[in-house]
Amino acid sequence: MFYIGCHLSAAKGFFSMGKDALKIGANVFQFFTRNPRGGTAKKIDRNDVDEFLKTARENRFGIIMAHAPYTLNAAAKDPDIYRFAFDTIQDDLKRMELIPYNYYNFHPGFHLGQGVQTGIDKIVFLLNKVITEKQTTTILLETMAGKGTEIGSNFEELKAVLEKIIFSDKVGVCLDTCHVFDAGYDIVTRLDDVLDEFDRIVGLKKLKAIHLNDSKNLRASHKDRHEKLGQGCIGIDAIRRIINHPSLRSLPFYLETPNQLDGYAKEIALLKTFRTDSE
Ligand code: FE
Ligand code: FE
Ligand code: ZN
């Protein structure tokens, strides 16, 4: 099964996202749990969720990905900012149980001069405080481009967080193709080597999802600017290899390319022509 979708606006609720997904040929999608710049979350409407879950079942949707606000910093030095990250993640995880067995993805954070190890220790501490043994949600650390003091732009740093998590089956990694390329990994000409390296350091069993994006910038630019598929420095041939790679093809793919719904529909249709098992 090819699980393919994109980032959708959560403004009109879950049922509306499910309808949008169907309209563009998607069977998975990603959404922000609240305003990406932070702030309070909307109250969840049970009826909306129930209607969505029915649609998802009937249409055999795959795993839905919630994305934490990208401003939260789980490695922050400032106690108020750290507290905000803690409260937000904890509240989001509680709400995620209304749509159980899905993913919650977040950007590991910025150490802001405290040093990578201190940043990692803070992320670990926070995660071990918020993760509960009975939660059904899997928390994913996203691979990052390495802007400034960003943590998570190499596999070693992700491993350093993951190996310290008490309930280790509740955490994994979401690989963003734009970000890893921007971080310096050559997924264009050496995809096998990059995945071997991931397997050696983190373990491929920890890889749970892919953010599928092209990149406006050259490899190792550390800029994090997404591009439409085939219009960036990764290119359509590499994208084709990624979605068909034996180690990746069963994972859900989420597009975060600069598109509206019609643009996403076109990219999804194109990707389906690349796959042998698309329906
Ligand atoms: Fe992200
Ligand atoms: Fe991403
Ligand atoms: Zn990005």
Side-chain angles (χ1 to χ4, degrees):
M1 188 71 160
F2 185 29
Y3 290 109
I4 179 68
C6 65
H7 188 89
L8 293 174
S9 164
K12 292 191 193 133
F14 284 99
F15 184 59
S16 170
M17 286 192 280
K19 278 195 302 192
D20 283 345
L22 289 175
K23 216 180 330 183
I24 60 174
N27 53 7
V28 293
F29 61 86
Q30 172 179 270
F31 67 99
F32 282 125
T33 54
R34 56 188 77 210
N35 182 315
R37 300 192 192 287
T40 50
K42 257 199 336 204
K43 206 175 169 312
I44 287 184
D45 174 350
R46 282 260 183 192
N47 280 333
D48 175 53
V49 169
D50 288 345
E51 278 189 283
F52 161 69
L53 291 174
K54 186 161 171 279
T55 307
R57 257 193 321 272
E58 285 169 0
N59 294 281
R60 294 155 69 216
F61 275 25
I63 298 177
I64 305 310
M65 168 116 58
H67 195 306
Y70 48 72
T71 46
L72 68 74
N73 187 2
K77 183 174 184 182
D78 182 307
D80 291 337
I81 295 173
Y82 190 63
R83 180 81 212 182
F84 173 78
F86 175 87
D87 289 344
T88 301
I89 294 176
Q90 189 172 56
D91 183 51
D92 281 349
L93 287 175
K94 205 168 95 199
R95 298 150 59 88
M96 286 295 290
E97 291 303 316
L98 290 169
I99 50 161
Y101 300 100
N102 287 300
Y103 290 151
Y104 181 70
N105 175 72
F106 79 109
H107 297 178
F110 291 86
H111 68 72
L112 303 171
Q114 301 169 92
V116 175
Q117 191 54 53
T118 301
I120 286 170
D121 291 345
K122 291 195 162 171
I123 297 164
V124 168
F125 181 83
L126 187 150
L127 287 177
N128 278 329
K129 282 256 178 218
V130 294
I131 295 172
T132 63
E133 193 170 10
K134 62 179 198 337
Q135 76 179 48
T136 63
T137 303
T138 303
I139 300 179
L140 305 183
L141 281 82
E142 182 166 353
T143 62
M144 302 311 297
K147 280 182 296 178
T149 65
E150 202 164 44
I151 297 166
S153 64
N154 61 63
F155 302 155
E156 287 81 359
E157 291 174 5
L158 297 171
K159 175 215 166 103
V161 174
L162 293 174
E163 72 182 2
K164 294 257 172 63
I165 303 304
I166 297 162
F167 298 120
S168 61
D169 60 325
K170 308 293 185 192
V171 287
V173 173
C174 171
L175 186 147
D176 185 309
T177 56
C178 169
H179 297 175
V180 285
F181 182 72
D182 231 12
Y185 292 101
D186 187 359
I187 53 170
V188 176
T189 68
R190 302 172 71 92
L191 179 61
D192 279 327
D193 292 342
V194 173
L195 293 176
D196 282 350
E197 189 176 336
F198 186 95
D199 195 31
R200 262 199 324 277
I201 297 167
V202 181
L204 276 172
K205 66 175 192 310
K206 280 288 174 199
L207 184 55
K208 306 293 185 189
I210 306 286
H211 279 168
L212 191 65
N213 302 304
D214 211 324
S215 170
K216 281 196 199 298
N217 297 102
L218 294 171
R219 185 163 70 85
S221 296
H222 308 292
K223 290 225 170 64
D224 189 0
R225 298 285 310 281
H226 302 191
E227 181 54 283
K228 294 189 171 90
L229 300 185
Q231 295 185 27
C233 297
I234 294 176
I236 205 68
D237 291 336
I239 297 288
R240 181 199 287 257
R241 287 191 292 273
I242 288 163
I243 64 159
N244 284 301
H245 193 283
S247 299
L248 307 179
R249 58 181 292 122
S250 62
L251 300 175
F253 295 89
Y254 308 84
L255 297 163
E256 300 174 308
T257 47
N259 276 306
Q260 304 297 318
L261 282 184
D262 57 338
Y264 280 132
K266 282 183 195 142
E267 290 192 341
I268 289 167
L270 177 68
L271 292 167
K272 286 180 179 175
T273 69
F274 291 168
R275 290 268 297 207
T276 49
D277 62 345
S278 64
E279 294 167 342

